[in-house]
């Protein structure tokens, strides 16, 4: 059941397009496919600040009521021209070693959820600390840690979104589904959305463990759609993952687990988002370009209900093993920037997953090279994971 102030997403975006600010990440928003390949880059150290001028872009085509607000950014220290921020004028500022403030102009909202993924060629994870409004803007605070839990400069991919109201109709025979929660350690829900209009539920089942129920979002069993989980903690290092997951005809039942720097179970605030034939921020058709895939390993197959592409349908995204703990993921025909990629571990053990470098465009495809998963000590490990790519268009 939505509990947030209604806002039209388009009006907030247009307001953001006119907000002139000094930025650390320059937005280059395009409507056509960008056919170029970005070279692999190292992101093990982050510049303290890079300043660029804001770029004003033309107004986007009208979107549906979901989401009300949307902001995302790919922060990398070696390039400020990657076109993967939304809206124009988005900025990232380092506030302390490993700690960042991301400002999304015109996207202020009550509630909502944040997801963040580290982008680093050495073992790192990033988490949300908090998010708050500042006038018409939304500010998201991100903290990044190297394996072992020491704060450390890092690239990252971050997404903020807030929704109310119904989803747009699905163009296909199967209705799309979308929901999220921002839950306290006790299970009390700070913010939520469910496209069926029903109320989500969170139960604290043990230290560092919760059961999240998303009623009315039923899909084919045993699993269908995709999930993202993110730790929210401003005091201590924390990582959250999807421990297990079951789809039923009436709901989604998700077990979330969170750990501390040493891999022990940790009670902490967390966010969880669910998507089924809809983008990670809820909209569908538009946006026309989004996809997700689950690398389920021994849990189950990659193809089928956990593999969806808005252009090519099911079972068309690919996950290619490279070495232990690393995979190349390809989303065919989704090369429509700006876009945002998030990844989360799907494991009931002390494991975290990240990206070793920014995703790239190769012809008409979006290529993520690579997804990397680690033990808390930073040792590469083969782990199931869930990954999602979502364009603004």
């Amino acid at each position: 059941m939505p509990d947030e102030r209604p806002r039209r997403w388009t009006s907030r975006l247009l307001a953001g397009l006119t907000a002139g600010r000094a930025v650390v990440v320059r937005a280059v928003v395009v409507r056509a496919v960008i056919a170029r390949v970005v070279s692999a880059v190292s992101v093990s150290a982050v510049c303290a600040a890079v300043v660029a001028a804001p770029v004003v872009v033309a107004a986007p085509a009208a979107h549906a009521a979901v989401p009300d607000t949307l902001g995302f950014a790919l922060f990398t220290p070696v390039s400020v021209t990657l076109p993967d921020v939304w809206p124009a004028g988005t900025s990232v500022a380092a506030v302390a070693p490993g700690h960042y403030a991301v400002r999304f102009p015109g996207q202020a909202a009550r509630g909502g959820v944040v997801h963040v993924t580290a982008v680093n060629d050495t073992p790192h994870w990033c988490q949300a600390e908090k998010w708050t409004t500042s006038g018409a803007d939304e500010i998201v605070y991100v903290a990044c840690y190297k394996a072992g839990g020491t704060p450390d400069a890092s690239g990252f991919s971050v997404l903020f979104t807030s929704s109310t109201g119904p989803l747009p109709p699905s163009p296909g025979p199967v209705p799309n589904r979308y929901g999220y929660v921002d839950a306290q350690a006790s299970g009390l829900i700070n913010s939520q959305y469910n496209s069926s209009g029903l109320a989500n539920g969170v139960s604290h089942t043990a230290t560092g463990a919760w059961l999240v129920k998303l009623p009315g979002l039923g899909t084919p069993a045993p699993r269908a759609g995709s999930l993202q989980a993110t730790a929210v903690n401003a005091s201590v290092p924390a990582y959250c993952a999807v421990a297990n997951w079951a789809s039923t005809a009436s709901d989604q039942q998700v077990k979330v687990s969170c750990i501390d720097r040493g891999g022990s179970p940790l009670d902490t605030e967390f966010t969880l988002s669910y998507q089924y034939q809809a983008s990670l921020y809820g909209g569908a058709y538009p946006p026309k370009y989004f996809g997700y895939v689950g690398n389920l390993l021994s849990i189950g197959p990659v193809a089928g209900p956990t593999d969806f592409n808005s252009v090519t349908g099911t079972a068309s995204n690919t996950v290619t093993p490279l070495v232990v703990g690393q995979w190349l993921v390809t989303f065919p025909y989704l090369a429509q920037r700006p876009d945002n990629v998030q990844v989360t571990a799907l494991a009931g053990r002390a494991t975290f997953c990240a990206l070793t470098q920014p995703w790239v465009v190769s012809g008409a495809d979006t290529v993520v090279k690579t997804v990397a998963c680690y033990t808390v000590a930073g040792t590469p490990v083969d782990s199931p994971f869930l990954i999602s790519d979502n364009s603004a268009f």
Side-chain angles (χ1 to χ4, degrees), residues 161-179:
T161 188
S162 175
S163 291
T164 58
L167 287 183
S170 172
V174 180
N176 43 308
R177 308 274 194 265
Y178 174 63

Side-chain angles (χ1 to χ4, degrees), residues 153-169:
S154 179
F156 58 85
S157 172
V158 62
L159 178 145
F160 166 77
T161 188
S162 175
S163 291
T164 58
L167 287 183

Side-chain angles (χ1 to χ4, degrees), residues 293-386:
V293 64
N295 182 35
L296 305 188
L297 298 178
S298 61
I299 295 178
V302 171
T306 60
D307 179 358
F308 181 77
N309 185 302
S310 63
V311 176
T312 58
T314 59
S316 59
N317 305 311
T318 61
V319 179
T320 304
L322 300 175
V323 296
V324 173
Q326 291 194 2
W327 300 263
L328 182 144
V329 181
T330 302
F331 294 99
Y333 301 102
L334 295 190
Q336 187 75 9
R337 284 178 151 162
D339 63 337
N340 186 260
V341 173
Q342 296 292 326
V343 64
T344 194
L346 175 57
R349 54 181 174 168
T351 302
F352 65 91
C353 298
L355 305 179
T356 64
Q357 57 192 280
W359 56 96
V360 301
V361 165
S362 179
D365 302 341
T366 294
V367 178
V368 182
K369 55 175 189 180
T370 56
V371 175
C373 296
Y374 308 95
T375 67
V376 291
T379 303
V381 62
D382 286 339
S383 171
F385 63 84
L386 301 166

Side-chain angles (χ1 to χ4, degrees), residues 32-388:
V33 172
I34 304 174
R36 64 183 180 88
V37 178
V38 180
S39 300
V41 295
S42 170
V43 290
S44 57
V46 177
C47 298
V50 181
V51 179
V55 177
V56 177
V57 301
H63 288 252
V66 172
D68 299 327
T69 59
L70 170 67
F72 59 74
L74 169 64
F75 175 63
T76 172
V78 296
S79 175
V80 296
T81 59
L82 290 175
D84 290 313
V85 297
W86 186 268
T90 294
S91 65
V92 180
V95 295
H99 296 263
Y100 306 90
V102 185
R103 181 180 290 269
F104 296 114
Q107 304 307 303
R110 182 169 61 92
V113 287
V114 168
H115 292 294
V116 59
T117 296
V119 181
N120 201 303
D121 58 4
T122 62
H124 283 68
W125 80 82
C126 297
Q127 65 196 56
E129 291 188 300
K130 64 178 181 178
W131 53 97
T132 187
T133 59
S134 177
D137 301 343
E138 189 75 24
I139 302 178
V140 176
Y141 293 89
V142 173
C144 297
Y145 300 90
K146 60 183 178 182
T150 302
D152 195 47
S154 179
F156 58 85
S157 172
V158 62
L159 178 145
F160 166 77
T161 188
S162 175
S163 291
T164 58
L167 287 183
S170 172
V174 180
N176 43 308
R177 308 274 194 265
Y178 174 63
Y180 65 69
V181 296
D182 166 27
Q184 298 178 21
S186 64
L188 181 66
I189 295 177
N190 296 325
S191 175
Q192 65 171 304
Y193 176 81
N194 186 309
S195 60
S196 75
L198 300 178
N200 302 319
V202 178
S203 300
H204 183 236
T205 58
T207 301
W210 299 263
L211 175 62
V212 180
K213 293 186 177 181
L214 306 172
L217 304 186
T219 56
R223 297 174 187 86
S226 191
L227 295 151
Q228 290 294 317
T230 297
V232 182
N233 199 306
S235 301
V236 298
Y239 184 84
C240 295
V242 176
N244 211 332
W245 165 35
S247 299
T248 74
S250 60
D251 65 3
Q252 302 294 320
Q253 299 183 19
V254 186
K255 292 182 179 180
V256 175
S257 63
C258 298
I259 56 175
D260 64 14
R261 71 179 72 198
S264 299
L266 175 70
D267 282 343
T268 183
E269 182 182 347
F270 67 90
T271 61
L272 179 76
S273 293
Y274 173 74
Q275 60 181 136
Y276 178 75
Q277 299 191 12
S279 72
L280 187 58
Y281 55 86
Y285 310 102
K288 297 179 180 179
Y289 302 94
F290 62 88
Y292 52 78
V293 64
N295 182 35
L296 305 188
L297 298 178
S298 61
I299 295 178
V302 171
T306 60
D307 179 358
F308 181 77
N309 185 302
S310 63
V311 176
T312 58
T314 59
S316 59
N317 305 311
T318 61
V319 179
T320 304
L322 300 175
V323 296
V324 173
Q326 291 194 2
W327 300 263
L328 182 144
V329 181
T330 302
F331 294 99
Y333 301 102
L334 295 190
Q336 187 75 9
R337 284 178 151 162
D339 63 337
N340 186 260
V341 173
Q342 296 292 326
V343 64
T344 194
L346 175 57
R349 54 181 174 168
T351 302
F352 65 91
C353 298
L355 305 179
T356 64
Q357 57 192 280
W359 56 96
V360 301
V361 165
S362 179
D365 302 341
T366 294
V367 178
V368 182
K369 55 175 189 180
T370 56
V371 175
C373 296
Y374 308 95
T375 67
V376 291
T379 303
V381 62
D382 286 339
S383 171
F385 63 84
L386 301 166
I387 185 169
S388 182

Side-chain angles (χ1 to χ4, degrees), residues 6-21:
R7 287 182 175 83
R8 291 293 299 176
W9 181 36
T10 48
S11 65
R12 291 296 182 189
L13 294 179
L14 292 175
L17 296 176
T18 59
R21 300 181 188 278

